Amino acid sequence: MQRKSFARAFSTANKNYDITVIGGGPGGYVAAIKAAQLGFKTAIVEKRGSLGGTCLNVGCIPSKALLNSSHKYEDAVQHFAEYGVYADNVRFDLDQMMKQKESAVKGLTQGIEFLMKKNKVDYYKGWGKFADANTISIDLNEGKTESISSKNTIIATGSEPSPLPGGGLKIDEKRVISSTGALSLNEVPKKLVLIGGGVIGLEMGSVYSRLGSEVIVVEFMDRIMPTFDKEISRTFTNILKKRGFKFMFGTKVLGGDVREDGVTLNMESVNGDKLDPLDADYVLIATGRRPFTEGLGLENIGVTPDRLGMIEVNDHFATVTPNVYAIGDVIRGPMLAHKAEEEGVCVVENLKGLVGHVNYDAIPGVVYTHPEIATVGKTEEELKGEGVKYAVGKFPFSANSRARTNSEPDGLVKVLTEKSTDKLLGVHIIGSNAGELIAEAVVGMEYGASSEDIARTCHAHPTLSEAVKEAMMAAHDKPIHM
């Protein structure tokens, strides 16, 4: 008996669905699972051939695997002796690092496919596009075409790397690479230039810096991570400088000469002054991401993306076309996997008649370097710009017992509160495990807590979380250990 193609393994004879999700990234697959759990007959369409989207396949997950491996190597080489641990001839195997990364990705993508089966979501591997508002045409990866009907459709097609503004340097994934190419290099660059001082560039730059690359950050703005709290950005810049990073701020890349063995960049200052050319083995263009909305047949349903490719939605994530919704990177807001997940659940709950909810003031952002950076809510600069009267509480990890015993004293916790009410408005952390520590602040902000509420909550000793408690104390009164 001939085996049924895997592309159709999740399909059924009935092609009429309550909800169809186009896009299998975090927002899409979470929406599909939630829809099935709430009793909707659900389908998901994903062209990649594996679920998880950019995040799981060529983004969040593989980059974290390489960040973890490279950090372990750096720790062994630079810090083990401090702990009384000695290892001779410590070296790394880049091929094995890449294999470990791929193993993690494969296991997680297979896990999501299992969840589709478990929740009885029909999974179509192919390119989905609108024939009309209630009909999805799917070009299956196996070569066939199939049409399905759907009462409601959620667009969750994510984003792709943005090209260099002006088009003077094209990504070829050989010498001029995107984040995707940076995840699969077959050698460690002697010199790596990052165009853009945002999250993606600094994470991948950290990986290769730890493995021996000279890393130079070329940034148009006057600082890295310009949307983050300025004090946090400045602190992180100083930490990276100590670790060998070099920075060229206020610099615009005009183009470059790409060769088989490297790239020469042509640049000028933001004031128009010509700068000396800059040579590199590889150049990583990390100037952000843009919505992926082409080829979806949006013109067939009356949906027109804006000049950036974003789809306009209302507060319920509905487009101008009835029963068509959009979430995640294709709509306004930060391009974060967890933001997309919350939006997907919200859409489905609303369709069920429940009260879906996304609080955009309580969505954390994390940079997974070492130390990590985690942030939620308003920055100090935003509060000043809005004319809000606020209080500030800070506590350095150098005064935290667990951070000192772990030899990781860099960084601080910064808390911003409304001066008259003590309500939490923003929390910003740079330090070891900041991505985990921020969750406490997110919960507090979600439920309208004051800094005193968290300061009066008992925290285990010795833990890094005590730094959060002390910063909360500093916001409304005084810390104990400083």
Side-chain angles (χ1 to χ4, degrees):
M1 182 176 68
Q2 186 175 6
R3 186 175 183 179
K4 185 185 294 186
S5 168
F6 188 69
R8 299 287 304 281
F10 294 82
S11 301
T12 66
N14 185 353
K15 306 300 180 184
N16 300 312
Y17 295 95
D18 298 316
I19 296 177
T20 297
V21 182
I22 302 178
Y29 83 73
V30 167
I33 291 172
K34 189 63 177 180
Q37 290 175 342
L38 291 178
F40 291 108
K41 181 172 174 56
T42 307
I44 189 167
V45 184
E46 169 56 51
K47 65 180 176 61
R48 191 185 299 272
S50 62
L51 294 168
T54 293
C55 176
L56 206 161
N57 289 275
V58 290
C60 319
I61 300 303
S63 63
K64 304 311 165 282
L66 293 180
L67 281 161
N68 181 57
S69 298
S70 60
H71 174 62
K72 290 181 183 298
Y73 170 72
E74 181 185 55
D75 203 24
V77 171
Q78 297 187 9
H79 303 295
F80 270 18
E82 298 175 22
Y83 316 138
V85 178
Y86 298 94
D88 297 327
N89 194 27
V90 176
R91 61 195 187 281
F92 66 86
D93 183 333
L94 186 62
D95 289 341
Q96 180 57 36
M97 287 184 176
M98 294 297 176
K99 288 177 182 178
Q100 191 276 333
K101 173 203 69 174
E102 293 301 327
S103 175
V105 169
K106 183 178 180 181
L108 289 169
T109 56
Q110 289 177 341
I112 297 172
E113 289 193 3
F114 167 76
L115 292 174
M116 293 299 124
K117 290 181 179 179
K118 176 184 177 182
N119 290 281
K120 297 180 173 58
V121 175
D122 289 352
Y123 170 28
Y124 294 87
K125 292 187 177 183
W127 187 290
K129 54 186 180 293
F130 289 94
D132 58 50
N134 296 108
T135 306
I136 310 299
S137 176
I138 307 170
D139 296 329
L140 295 170
N141 292 353
E142 64 180 12
K144 300 178 182 179
T145 300
E146 187 162 355
S147 292
I148 62 175
S149 297
S150 187
K151 295 177 183 177
N152 303 281
T153 302
I154 301 173
I155 302 169
T157 46
S159 60
E160 62 183 352
S162 296
L164 182 71
L169 195 63
K170 303 292 185 181
I171 295 173
D172 60 14
E173 300 297 11
K174 295 179 181 178
R175 290 292 169 177
V176 181
I177 58 178
S178 68
S179 56
T180 301
L183 290 167
S184 301
L185 291 181
N186 57 17
E187 64 177 351
V188 175
K190 292 181 180 178
K191 181 186 287 187
L192 173 65
V193 171
L194 313 177
I195 302 179
V199 176
I200 296 172
L202 295 177
E203 287 187 350
M204 294 312 303
S206 292
V207 169
Y208 290 106
S209 173
R210 295 166 186 170
L211 301 181
S213 296
E214 177 187 356
V215 177
I216 301 175
V217 180
V218 178
E219 171 57 53
F220 183 79
M221 304 296 285
D222 61 355
R223 62 188 177 103
I224 60 173
M225 302 183 305
T227 62
F228 280 55
D229 187 273
K230 186 176 289 188
E231 182 176 10
I232 298 298
S233 174
R234 183 173 62 248
T235 300
F236 191 45
T237 300
N238 291 334
I239 291 173
L240 290 176
K241 284 181 177 179
K242 291 178 182 178
R243 298 184 178 184
F245 275 64
K246 298 176 182 177
F247 296 92
M248 298 178 66
F249 295 116
T251 302
K252 180 180 180 181
V253 176
L254 303 175
D257 174 29
V258 182
R259 307 175 305 279
E260 285 189 8
D261 62 345
V263 183
T264 299
L265 294 178
N266 301 315
M267 304 175 296
E268 67 178 18
S269 72
V270 292
N271 298 321
D273 299 326
K274 188 175 181 180
L275 302 174
D276 292 336
L278 179 62
D279 292 324
D281 296 294
Y282 292 88
V283 173
L284 168 57
I285 296 181
T287 52
R289 298 182 64 83
R290 61 184 181 184
F292 186 84
T293 51
E294 293 185 6
L296 299 179
L298 298 180
E299 65 279 4
N300 296 331
I301 60 171
V303 173
T304 303
D306 66 15
R307 63 182 183 84
L308 299 176
M310 287 191 175
I311 297 173
E312 184 176 348
V313 296
N314 64 18
D315 290 341
H316 299 287
F317 306 101
T319 68
V320 295
T321 302
N323 305 317
V324 176
Y325 304 84
I327 63 171
D329 291 2
V330 300
I331 68 170
R332 62 183 181 272
M335 291 184 173
L336 297 169
H338 43 283
K339 174 253 195 187
E341 292 177 358
E342 296 300 315
E343 291 171 340
V345 171
C346 183
V347 170
V348 172
E349 288 183 337
N350 286 337
L351 288 173
K352 189 66 175 179
L354 305 173
V355 182
H357 165 77
V358 180
N359 181 359
Y360 288 100
D361 290 328
I363 294 180
V366 181
V367 186
Y368 295 90
T369 49
H370 192 82
E372 292 181 349
I373 300 171
T375 179
V376 63
K378 299 289 187 179
T379 66
E380 189 168 358
E381 292 68 44
E382 288 174 328
L383 293 177
K384 287 180 180 178
E386 295 171 5
V388 176
K389 294 182 179 180
Y390 64 94
V392 182
K394 303 177 189 177
F395 192 81
F397 281 104
S398 59
N400 174 266
S401 58
R402 185 64 185 274
R404 293 297 292 269
T405 57
N406 290 351
S407 295
E408 295 181 332
D410 288 336
L412 73 152
V413 180
K414 180 176 182 177
V415 174
L416 302 169
T417 64
E418 188 176 37
K419 196 169 186 65
S420 61
T421 66
D422 192 36
K423 180 180 179 181
L424 286 175
L425 299 178
V427 178
H428 310 276
I429 306 173
I430 177 168
S432 180
N433 291 305
E436 306 294 338
L437 295 175
I438 199 67
E440 178 178 21
V442 175
V443 171
M445 291 185 65
E446 182 66 40
Y447 288 94
S450 66
S451 69
E452 186 176 3
D453 289 330
I454 295 179
R456 290 189 178 277
T457 302
C458 186
H459 290 61
H461 175 77
T463 61
L464 297 174
S465 68
E466 288 177 290
V468 177
K469 176 184 175 76
E470 295 265 13
M472 296 290 176
M473 295 171 68
H476 76 274
D477 189 13
K478 293 180 180 180
I480 296 296
H481 292 93
M482 189 176 69

